[in-house]
Amino acid sequence: MTRHAGRHFLQIPGPTNTPLAVLAAIAKPTIDHRGPEFGLLGRSVLAGIKTIFKTSQPVVIYPASGTGAWEAALVNTLSPGDKVLMVETGWFATLWKKMAARLKLDAEFIPGDWRSGVDAGKIAARLAEDRQHHIKAVAVVHNETSTGVTSDIAAVRSSMDSVKHPALLLVDTISSLASMDYRHDEWGVDVTVAGSQKGLMLPPGLSFNALSEKARRASRTAGLPRSFWDWEDMLAANETGYFPYTPATNMLQGLQVAIDLLHAEGLDSVFDRHKRAAEAVRRAVQHWGFEIQCRNPAEYSSSLTAVIMPQGHSADRLRAEILERCNISLGNGLGPLSGKVFRIGHLGDFNDPTITATLTGIEMGLRVVGVPHRPGGAEAAVAYLAGNGPPVAQAAE
Ligand SMILES: *Cc1c(COP(=O)(O)O)cnc(C)c1O
């Protein structure tokens, strides 16, 4: 490997850039996970993380990637053969469905075009047919990271209520939590799944289940085998701030700082910062003359933009050039979108220059590789950002 001078731009939709204050907290000496100092840390992060999910109910923290929290949501609430209704929004919804099938659940997909979010009306229609209540859970992805498409979770909840169906609502917020508005309690979500390495600005390694009373009741009769993922063992130990097995102590030190940083900025300001960056990126992409994978502007993601390459040009060739030349990492196309799409991450810890530098690097790559485009996309983003903001500093919440 040759040395690249200057900083690396990690502009993939997770993992994201980690603030120095978070890295410094992680680098502090490891402490005794059964000692009094840890008890204080445990109580602090278990309480603090609830404010990010906007819940007053318990949040379970696992030393695992987001995939582990997907599994935890399923095995704690369901029994072998249970029907689960899922929606094919893209690659991550597809992976979650495959996991459900492997766990011997009867997973049913509402088909999708990988360019749209969840159609709440279709969920209502399918649930209305299910008079015997065979469907035990509806599981959807809030922000589909393979396509940059967001779904309206409040609308999914209303559709379930409109047909008075008792299924649990499970939601993956791995690439939306702490980047886009999300309300676990208000939206009546039973299990929210999240991870540390995206909007929370931590390295990979922690994942989360935010629970509801109904989800906890379901867990008492849920028949899928579980041990490591069992909520009740966790919740019993969490009462006093401890964990049933060794937690990722240093990551929790980082989490404590990340929660403080989010509140110092103010959650609404954090969401506005993401919205504004997303708009700037879309203006650049549209100026270049490229299509955005998300079809419906109302469903645009604030945390990433998936860009469709012009016919006959490889997204991977472009990404490789941009990495080599500018030290900027962009997200690849996943599954059937491989080579056809590249993804620009605009989530976590970033400012205007992070975004404009990324767009400049992309524009340079387009020139070098010879991808036909209208020059000036990065400038269009600069003009938008200059005319809209900068965000006014907010008092701490
Ligand atoms: C990143 C991501 C995942 C996978 O999380 P891992 O931490 O890689 O296991 C799942 N769902 C969504 C929406 C994601 O963005």
Side-chain angles (χ1 to χ4, degrees):
M1 291 291 276
T2 50
R3 177 183 128 75
H4 286 278
R7 57 160 287 201
H8 176 62
F9 284 74
L10 185 63
Q11 298 313 125
I12 60 175
T16 64
N17 299 290
T18 309
L20 282 177
V22 172
L23 289 174
I26 293 170
K28 285 197 301 186
T30 302
I31 59 175
D32 172 6
H33 65 295
R34 307 217 189 274
E37 191 182 348
F38 184 85
L40 289 173
L41 172 65
R43 287 194 288 279
S44 164
V45 292
L46 287 163
I49 195 64
K50 293 184 190 191
T51 64
I52 308 299
F53 286 92
K54 297 196 174 151
T55 183
S56 58
Q57 305 172 84
V59 177
V60 170
I61 307 177
Y62 294 108
S65 89
T67 302
W70 265 350
E71 180 159 339
L74 298 174
V75 299
N76 277 286
T77 55
L78 299 165
S79 298
D82 276 358
K83 209 171 201 6
V84 183
L85 184 62
M86 302 174 107
V87 183
E88 188 193 2
T89 45
W91 180 248
F92 289 100
T94 302
L95 288 182
W96 202 8
K97 178 179 180 270
K98 277 188 189 150
M99 172 188 276
R102 281 186 189 174
L103 292 170
K104 308 275 186 274
L105 294 165
D106 178 8
E108 178 181 323
F109 239 174
I110 297 178
D113 64 0
W114 290 50
R115 299 193 66 177
S116 313
V118 172
D119 181 338
K122 283 188 184 163
I123 291 185
R126 181 64 189 89
L127 293 179
E129 282 170 15
D130 179 39
R131 293 209 174 72
Q132 310 290 313
H133 296 162
H134 291 306
I135 296 171
K136 300 300 178 200
V138 172
V140 294
V141 176
H142 180 215
N143 185 64
E144 177 53 74
T145 321
S146 61
T147 62
V149 178
T150 304
S151 291
D152 183 343
I153 300 305
V156 173
R157 174 80 269 167
S158 310
S159 75
M160 296 171 71
D161 292 347
S162 71
V163 295
K164 301 196 166 52
H165 197 288
L168 296 164
L169 175 56
L170 317 180
V171 180
D172 171 347
T173 66
I174 297 178
S175 64
S176 54
L177 190 83
S179 299
M180 292 157 59
D181 189 21
Y182 187 78
R183 307 168 186 208
H184 176 86
D185 285 1
E186 189 182 321
W187 294 348
V189 179
D190 292 298
V191 186
T192 298
V193 174
S196 58
Q197 76 273 29
K198 304 195 186 184
L200 287 174
M201 310 180 288
L202 288 157
L206 294 180
S207 59
F208 308 87
N209 275 179
L211 315 181
S212 73
E213 216 9 85
K214 186 169 157 186
R216 288 188 71 182
R217 271 201 306 279
S219 78
R220 292 191 191 111
T221 54
L224 279 174
R226 58 186 180 274
S227 171
F228 181 81
W229 304 116
D230 191 74
W231 288 342
E232 291 308 318
D233 291 351
M234 268 289 193
L235 295 172
N238 285 174
E239 288 284 334
T240 50
Y242 295 91
F243 287 70
Y245 41 74
T246 314
T249 45
N250 293 53
M251 286 290 288
L252 295 174
Q253 290 167 185
L255 177 60
Q256 188 174 39
V257 172
I259 293 168
D260 287 346
L261 292 179
L262 288 167
H263 285 302
E265 186 175 352
L267 283 180
D268 289 338
S269 303
V270 171
F271 303 149
D272 286 346
R273 176 166 55 82
H274 283 74
K275 245 186 235 164
R276 187 166 162 276
E279 178 62 28
V281 166
R282 289 192 298 267
R283 288 190 183 217
V285 170
Q286 284 161 341
H287 183 99
W288 290 325
F290 302 153
E291 207 178 331
I292 290 169
Q293 181 71 16
C294 178
R295 237 189 250 288
N296 174 5
E299 295 176 330
Y300 281 149
S301 167
S302 288
S303 59
L304 78 135
T305 301
V307 182
I308 303 178
M309 283 296 279
Q311 278 287 331
H313 293 272
S314 158
D316 292 343
R317 165 87 186 82
L318 175 69
R319 288 190 315 106
E321 181 65 34
I322 293 167
L323 177 61
E324 178 57 31
R325 183 172 286 266
C326 301
N327 205 8
I328 297 173
S329 288
L330 299 169
N332 62 328
L334 294 168
L337 303 180
S338 173
K340 300 186 174 124
V341 153
F342 68 92
R343 296 173 300 143
I344 306 168
H346 32 82
L347 74 166
D349 190 38
F350 63 82
N351 58 14
D352 285 356
T354 320
I355 301 303
T356 56
T358 300
L359 294 170
T360 305
I362 295 171
E363 193 152 340
M364 214 185 289
L366 293 170
R367 262 179 203 267
V368 172
V369 175
V371 180
H373 66 287
R374 179 154 70 108
E379 173 57 27
V382 169
Y384 171 76
L385 292 170
N388 294 272
V392 182
Q394 300 284 314
E397 276 176 7

